[in-house]
Amino acid sequence: MQELGVVHTRIERADPGAVARLSELGVATVHEAMGRLGLMRPYVRPVYPGARLCGAAVTVLLQPGDNWMLHVAVEQVQPGDVVVAACTAECEDGFFGELLATSLRARGALGLVIDGGCRDVGELERMDFPVFSRAVHAKGTVKATPGSVNVPVVCANVLVNPGDVVLADGDGVVVVPAEKAAETADAGELREAKEGDKRRRLAAGELGLDLYDMRDDLRSRGLRYVG
């Protein structure tokens, strides 16, 4: 059962060192390193090209068409945080824009992920304030019904707890549980090193068929070369 009308002012954030290491990796790498877990639905997209973010989550539960709790959440933000906003029911209204971004940046926030709408995209790009949203929509919202801040939320099909690591780039958004941040960084860095070796071999002309030892498996499944 979701908590409504509550703001948790003390949360345990992921280790900053692990967050910094994860910030050097890509979403696809982290998703794979974590056993293909934590990936949000692909409809959550950057509102401008090149947007990227990585930080500890301050979570927000919004009511449809109501952005009141985003204003409440600003007070709970610490430098390096990312705001992650979900909604009690699907809604693509423009919950967030330039003024809220200005307020969040003043608190040290690194960006926003929202399973809802965003507007003022041109201004956000000029500010270089990364936002990943379900939709871009000019429709405004009201401030009438309380939701909650720093409670567990489900954002684009992924459970996000306050303090989890949220990483987003052009490939999507992935969430790493705070307690798994360091081990995921280890696995991601190892994967990156292996991919670097494969990249060099492929660039030198080696075929994926041989690099990944595919030939025997393909032959056993009936693949034939003719001619």
Side-chain angles (χ1 to χ4, degrees), residues 103-145:
S103 187
L104 281 176
R105 172 155 284 169
R107 301 287 295 185
L110 299 182
L112 169 77
V113 175
I114 182 168
D115 195 354
C118 172
R119 60 186 190 176
D120 299 338
V121 171
E123 289 83 355
L124 293 172
E125 183 172 12
R126 282 190 285 275
M127 293 172 64
D128 195 21
F129 188 89
V131 174
F132 289 72
S133 70
R134 179 190 185 100
V136 173
H137 198 353
K139 184 181 178 183
T141 56
V142 300
K143 298 166 181 62
T145 310

Side-chain angles (χ1 to χ4, degrees), residues 29-133:
T29 296
V30 171
H31 169 57
E32 296 281 356
M34 204 165 44
R36 298 183 180 179
L37 297 172
L39 194 63
M40 289 191 185
R41 293 291 305 279
Y43 61 69
V44 178
R45 301 298 303 153
V47 301
Y48 60 84
R52 178 182 173 83
L53 58 79
C54 183
V58 167
T59 62
V60 185
L61 183 62
L62 299 166
Q63 298 283 359
D66 192 317
N67 76 347
W68 210 0
M69 288 300 104
L70 284 171
H71 289 272
V72 174
V74 172
E75 186 179 26
Q76 304 306 316
V77 168
Q78 295 182 8
D81 286 343
V82 169
V83 175
V84 178
C87 199
T88 59
E90 289 191 2
C91 184
E92 296 180 344
D93 293 355
F95 290 93
F96 187 86
E98 173 198 4
L99 294 180
L100 266 168
T102 300
S103 187
L104 281 176
R105 172 155 284 169
R107 301 287 295 185
L110 299 182
L112 169 77
V113 175
I114 182 168
D115 195 354
C118 172
R119 60 186 190 176
D120 299 338
V121 171
E123 289 83 355
L124 293 172
E125 183 172 12
R126 282 190 285 275
M127 293 172 64
D128 195 21
F129 188 89
V131 174
F132 289 72
S133 70

